[in-house]
Amino acid sequence: MCLESLHEYAKSKYLDPSVPVYDLNLTKVAVDGGYEKQRFVSPLLKYLPSGDVSEEVPASTIVTTASHGFVKYLISRMLHRDNPFGEFYSSRPEFFLIVTARTYFHLCCGINDADPSHNKLTEEEMRIKNKLVPMNAQLSKVYNVIFQVYFDFCLVDVLPRKSYFPWKPHKRYAWNNAERLSNTRGVDKLYEENHNRLMLMYVRPKRPKDLEMIGNPAYFEYFLTRILQRKTRRIVGVFEEWSSGWGLLIVEAGFTIFDEVRDLDLEDLLQLFHLLKNIPNFEQSNFVAEANMAFKANHETEDIDELLVDKFRINLWRKISKGADSNENISKQV
């Protein structure tokens, strides 16, 4: 990645010369993955040792600076971890991600005091601590909520940004740099106050047994996409859009006709999705048809030759088992 001079300096000063340096651009991985979608073969597969999706001790540890785009890429790959081309198909690696404060607060779906946990936390302790952060409607985007559901995470440390290469200066998004008329502390002010800080996060995928209630990930993604589309909508109205009478089921479950999306926390969202899945004849509903169409539009490429993809997949695993470059001349061999 054009950092040869830095690598040479490190090996001459403190790094063991035998340590291999790989040419791997994670930002490009995220971009290529978004373009090729489900058919994308990640170059990370070449370096990730095989493991198990329920392993206690991680087979690998990845430490890296990460853009919000790369984190979204990991979320998408984890959401559809049954894809054999994905990084989480047969492993459960741990990550130490260095992200901006903006990305950190987004992944938390809310504003907290950014208090690092310097002692190792168990998975249960991380989940309890994260539940204490009240959800912010502005930060509760679809992939941020999916991150909350599919990953265990905690803040490990806060790092000075000046210790790294220069990052772009903070940009205010208020119209013509005008000051807010109210005294409300908006998230843009929060980003500005924390602009010179980087957050070191510990992140690890959850085990399949922790995600059994999700079922079909395409349904879960579409459910969040629709319900979080406009936070001021009433929940009953959202369900009535899918089928007449479904709103009554929500009221019977304990919600009111006045409850709005912005009133929900993570547990409420999971409860509503569980109710949705268990509605009689759910698989024949408009929701399922819409979700399947959305999945094809967002995650599948057009004109897929299934036979070619099967041959491609077989050849991929042959090359990985032999330790060969998984991206080298595959297309020529199929």
Side-chain angles (χ1 to χ4, degrees), residues 20-39:
V21 176
Y22 302 115
D23 186 7
L24 187 63
N25 188 327
L26 297 181
T27 301
K28 186 175 186 301
V29 168
V31 173
D32 291 344
Y35 177 74
E36 298 186 34
K37 302 181 181 181
Q38 290 285 297
R39 292 195 298 179

Side-chain angles (χ1 to χ4, degrees), residues 294-306:
F295 175 78
K296 290 182 180 180
N298 296 326
H299 297 285
E300 292 183 355
T301 52
E302 297 179 358
D303 302 324
I304 296 178
D305 187 328
E306 294 296 340

Side-chain angles (χ1 to χ4, degrees), residues 8-21:
E8 293 174 2
Y9 175 82
K11 290 189 175 183
S12 67
K13 295 295 183 180
Y14 57 86
L15 188 64
D16 188 339
S18 63
V19 173
V21 176

Side-chain angles (χ1 to χ4, degrees), residues 199-260:
M199 308 299 186
L200 175 61
M201 299 179 64
Y202 173 83
V203 178
R204 194 169 188 203
K206 291 183 179 180
R207 298 177 178 86
K209 68 177 184 179
D210 298 322
L211 301 169
E212 289 178 349
M213 63 84 58
I214 298 299
N216 190 326
Y219 297 168
F220 185 56
E221 182 180 16
Y222 183 69
F223 166 76
L224 292 177
T225 301
R226 285 292 305 275
I227 202 167
L228 297 176
Q229 192 173 32
R230 195 168 74 247
K231 308 296 195 310
T232 55
R233 287 192 300 176
R234 293 180 178 176
I235 307 166
V236 170
V238 177
F239 275 72
E240 284 290 330
E241 289 178 4
W242 287 320
S243 183
S244 178
W246 282 12
L248 178 61
L249 300 175
I250 304 305
V251 175
E252 292 175 347
F255 296 91
T256 73
I257 60 173
F258 302 107
D259 285 335
E260 297 181 349

Side-chain angles (χ1 to χ4, degrees), residues 85-315:
F85 296 172
E87 292 85 349
F88 304 111
Y89 179 71
S90 61
S91 65
R92 186 171 169 251
E94 64 179 3
F95 296 85
F96 288 89
L97 302 179
I98 301 172
V99 301
T100 63
R102 186 180 192 277
T103 294
Y104 170 71
F105 290 123
H106 268 264
L107 296 177
C108 290
C109 290
I111 300 171
N112 58 36
D113 55 5
D115 182 25
S117 301
H118 296 296
N119 297 322
K120 184 176 181 180
L121 301 180
T122 65
E123 294 171 354
E124 188 61 31
E125 287 173 335
M126 284 188 277
R127 294 172 191 177
I128 292 174
K129 186 173 183 178
N130 291 330
K131 284 182 180 179
L132 297 177
V133 180
M135 290 188 71
N136 179 291
Q138 190 173 346
L139 300 178
S140 299
K141 309 294 186 183
V142 174
Y143 270 59
N144 298 340
V145 174
I146 295 175
F147 178 83
Q148 293 264 325
V149 174
Y150 275 77
F151 291 88
D152 289 315
F153 67 96
C154 67
L155 182 64
V156 176
D157 205 354
V158 177
L159 310 174
R161 186 185 287 237
K162 63 183 180 181
S163 299
Y164 290 78
F165 281 109
W167 293 55
K168 63 181 180 180
H170 177 74
K171 180 180 179 180
R172 298 189 62 193
Y173 290 93
W175 172 254
N176 201 25
N177 288 326
E179 294 293 333
R180 286 180 175 269
L181 298 179
S182 70
N183 293 323
T184 303
R185 184 169 178 258
V187 291
D188 54 346
K189 184 66 174 178
L190 181 72
Y191 301 154
E192 188 173 359
E193 291 174 353
N194 290 275
H195 180 66
N196 293 321
R197 308 167 76 197
L198 295 175
M199 308 299 186
L200 175 61
M201 299 179 64
Y202 173 83
V203 178
R204 194 169 188 203
K206 291 183 179 180
R207 298 177 178 86
K209 68 177 184 179
D210 298 322
L211 301 169
E212 289 178 349
M213 63 84 58
I214 298 299
N216 190 326
Y219 297 168
F220 185 56
E221 182 180 16
Y222 183 69
F223 166 76
L224 292 177
T225 301
R226 285 292 305 275
I227 202 167
L228 297 176
Q229 192 173 32
R230 195 168 74 247
K231 308 296 195 310
T232 55
R233 287 192 300 176
R234 293 180 178 176
I235 307 166
V236 170
V238 177
F239 275 72
E240 284 290 330
E241 289 178 4
W242 287 320
S243 183
S244 178
W246 282 12
L248 178 61
L249 300 175
I250 304 305
V251 175
E252 292 175 347
F255 296 91
T256 73
I257 60 173
F258 302 107
D259 285 335
E260 297 181 349
V261 175
R262 60 184 174 184
D263 300 322
L264 303 175
D265 59 20
L266 185 61
E267 294 301 320
D268 292 331
L269 289 170
L270 292 175
Q271 181 186 355
L272 286 171
F273 181 65
H274 184 70
L275 288 170
L276 176 68
K277 289 195 311 170
N278 288 280
I279 291 176
N281 300 318
F282 169 72
E283 289 294 336
Q284 286 73 48
S285 67
N286 290 336
F287 175 92
V288 170
E290 293 173 8
N292 289 331
M293 290 177 62
F295 175 78
K296 290 182 180 180
N298 296 326
H299 297 285
E300 292 183 355
T301 52
E302 297 179 358
D303 302 324
I304 296 178
D305 187 328
E306 294 296 340
L307 180 61
L308 180 62
V309 171
D310 286 340
K311 291 181 179 179
F312 187 89
R313 183 180 293 114
I314 293 171
N315 188 62

